[in-house]
Amino acid sequence: MNNLNYLIAAILLITLGSCSTTNRVYISVQEPAPVTLPGYIQSVAVINRTTPSEKTGVLNDIYRVMSLESEALIREGSAATVNGLVGELSNNQRLVEIVRADSADVSSFGAGVFPAPLDWDKIKKICRETRTDAVFSLELFDTESKVDYSMDTVHQKTILGDVPLIEHQVHMNTLVTTGWRMYDPGSHTVLDESSISRNLNFHGKGVNPAEAAKALIGKSEAVKQVGTDAGKLYAAKISPFWLRVYRNYFVRSKNGAFDLAKRKAQTGNWDEAAKIWLAETKNPDPKTAGRANYNMAIIHEINGQ
């Protein structure tokens, strides 16, 4: 059993009441990955599909003007997102190789639209050229900003007294959205399709509009950081994760064996407690045997099994 779990469990057990038929223990348990990759997927290609196609270029340009965004920001933000994904996937021992397929001939609708899935012939071609088993695709990277501008009268103290000044205020809200797919050409299955969104808020004020707008200078870096974080978050979908939970286990039995096991557990000696519960799984009393089996299940969960 993990030493930290031993310590936390022992402390909590000592502080809980002794009259109940059960005690509560808080433990860290490993949950399966949200997305399970088939065993034959050992390597993946990563593509950036956020460049709009020539057919929809005009629509995308109109959308960019309306959303107050530039192509440069989308290009830099999507690149940061792919970097975040690749970096996190590289730390995953489940995968043998991660290949960036930057030269892949892929595009999307653009204009903030989550595109239709790529056809399987194209996916198979990417895997064949990169010698990989599956494709992770950034299908969408979109930012949409809304700006509120206002003026207010403020008073500034000077040697001549309070002087009224016009203060300019700028508030910008930027929604950053990334869209993803995992393609498995082996089974012709899109293993996952999802999007991640986050709001960024910028606020500035000054004696003139230019001074107030200085607060928006850091927007580009903030958007790229959001993209990097989104890439890491999506890569984590194929990894198991730890969750803090509580479990109630039995501490009373007719023959007193569970009382002894409880005292062992309260001193952090869970292995000795488990030996007692294991022996009680063969108790002729079905209620006692059932409780012992339940407690053994808790022990296995604590041990990460």
Side-chain angles (χ1 to χ4, degrees), residues 14 16 45 73 121 137 146 155 210 217-218 226 234 247 274 283:
I14 292 171
L16 291 172
L73 180 62
D121 287 339
S137 176
K146 295 180 179 179
H155 292 81
I217 294 176
V226 168
Y234 191 70
R247 298 286 185 257
N283 192 298

Side-chain angles (χ1 to χ4, degrees), residues 87-266:
E88 192 67 20
L89 288 178
S90 300
N91 296 326
N92 192 316
Q93 297 180 352
R94 165 71 175 74
L95 298 174
V96 175
E97 187 177 17
I98 298 94
V99 180
R100 296 185 60 145
D102 294 327
S103 60
D105 182 20
V106 292
S107 60
S108 66
F109 187 87
V113 176
F114 204 122
L118 289 165
D119 64 72
W120 291 110
D121 287 339
K122 180 152 289 189
I123 293 296
K124 289 179 180 178
K125 181 182 178 183
I126 293 171
C127 288
R128 189 167 57 250
E129 292 176 348
T130 57
R131 298 182 180 180
T132 55
D133 307 313
V135 174
F136 279 61
S137 176
L138 176 60
E139 305 271 299
L140 170 70
F141 186 90
D142 182 59
T143 62
E144 184 175 359
S145 293
K146 295 180 179 179
V147 178
D148 290 324
Y149 174 77
S150 62
M151 292 186 295
D152 195 13
T153 301
V154 296
H155 292 81
Q156 183 174 340
K157 290 185 177 181
T158 69
I159 58 174
L160 300 177
D162 286 352
V163 177
L165 295 174
I166 298 297
E167 183 178 72
H168 300 260
Q169 299 181 355
V170 178
H171 178 79
M172 175 181 285
N173 175 269
T174 299
L175 178 65
V176 183
T177 303
T178 57
W180 308 84
R181 284 192 180 100
M182 297 182 199
Y183 296 91
D184 174 18
S187 62
H188 280 207
T189 302
V190 176
L191 298 173
D192 182 68
E193 176 180 292
S194 58
S195 61
I196 301 171
S197 296
R198 181 180 168 187
N199 272 302
L200 294 173
N201 289 286
F202 307 90
H203 182 74
K205 57 185 179 180
V207 295
N208 56 58
E211 190 69 24
K214 283 184 178 181
L216 310 181
I217 294 176
K219 174 186 172 182
S220 177
E221 290 303 317
V223 168
K224 288 190 286 185
Q225 185 59 55
V226 168
T228 300
D229 294 342
K232 292 179 178 180
L233 185 62
Y234 191 70
K237 294 192 76 169
I238 64 170
S239 299
F241 61 97
W242 291 93
L243 188 66
R244 199 81 182 145
V245 299
Y246 74 84
R247 298 286 185 257
N248 291 320
Y249 69 96
F250 294 101
V251 295
R252 291 281 184 272
S253 62
K254 294 179 180 179
N255 61 4
F258 279 32
D259 296 86
L260 177 59
K262 181 186 73 171
R263 290 195 294 272
K264 298 286 186 182
Q266 285 178 332

